């Protein structure tokens, strides 16, 4: 039977898969022009890719930081510690990491090359930032209510 615990474990497994995917992406990124099948992509243009590599690696770093904090958050949820100050801080860090991806990709599009894929990913990261800020505020309000309830007799 599917339950809360199995759902959290599945989320942890998916997060580890994402960590592996980001590592593979970072390792194989310089050789992308050889294997990427879409001719109109920035990844197939070796000159553009070389100029955009620092931005892509910056995005990889931000994503890895957010995945590490997500793993810590999921482990706390598995231990039934949801409404805590540390989880609010973790959500804040994950949100700012998504903003970093947004900013890096927008600046890359502005200074290097504008592609629909780059802008789409940047806008998705920006939306994710806003969504996580709202979720962080909800968790923080719930944490304050829980603390207030814990103090009442």
């Amino acid at each position: 039977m599917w339950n809360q615990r199995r759902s959290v474990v599945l989320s942890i497994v998916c997060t580890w898969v994402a960590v592996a995917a980001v590592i593979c992406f970072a390792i194989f990124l310089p050789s992308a022009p050889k294997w990427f099948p879409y001719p109109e992509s920035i990844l197939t243009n070796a000159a553009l890719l070389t100029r955009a590599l620092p931005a892509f690696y910056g995005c990889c770093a931000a994503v890895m930081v957010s995945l590490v904090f997500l793993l810590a958050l999921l482990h706390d949820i598995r231990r039934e510690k949801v409404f805590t100050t540390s989880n609010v801080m973790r959500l804040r860090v994950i949100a700012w990491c998504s903003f970093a991806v947004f900013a890096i990709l927008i600046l890359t599009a502005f200074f290097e090359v504008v592609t629909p894929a780059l802008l789409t990913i940047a806008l998705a990261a920006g939306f994710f930032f806003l969504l996580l800020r709202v979720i962080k505020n909800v968790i923080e309000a719930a944490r304050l209510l829980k603390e207030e309830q814990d103090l009442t007799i």
Side-chain angles (χ1 to χ4, degrees), residues 22-41:
V22 171
I23 290 170
C24 287
F25 180 77
I27 290 171
F28 293 112
L29 186 58
S31 63
K34 296 176 188 134
W35 53 264
F36 203 68
Y38 305 106
E40 65 276 356
S41 171

Side-chain angles (χ1 to χ4, degrees), residues 27-105:
I27 290 171
F28 293 112
L29 186 58
S31 63
K34 296 176 188 134
W35 53 264
F36 203 68
Y38 305 106
E40 65 276 356
S41 171
I42 192 172
L43 295 177
T44 56
N45 186 330
L48 284 177
L49 179 63
T50 303
R51 292 195 330 243
L53 272 179
F56 290 154
Y57 280 121
C59 288
C60 286
V63 170
M64 285 301 288
V65 168
S66 67
L67 289 172
V68 167
F69 278 88
L70 181 60
L71 280 169
L73 176 70
L74 289 169
H75 284 292
D76 264 8
I77 291 171
R78 189 174 64 183
R79 288 186 224 112
E80 298 179 3
K81 295 178 182 178
V82 180
F83 304 113
T84 64
T85 306
S86 60
N87 284 345
V88 171
M89 182 270 308
R90 289 176 182 130
L91 285 169
R92 185 178 292 122
V93 170
I94 295 169
W96 282 108
C97 285
S98 65
F99 181 79
V101 170
F102 167 77
I104 289 169
L105 292 180

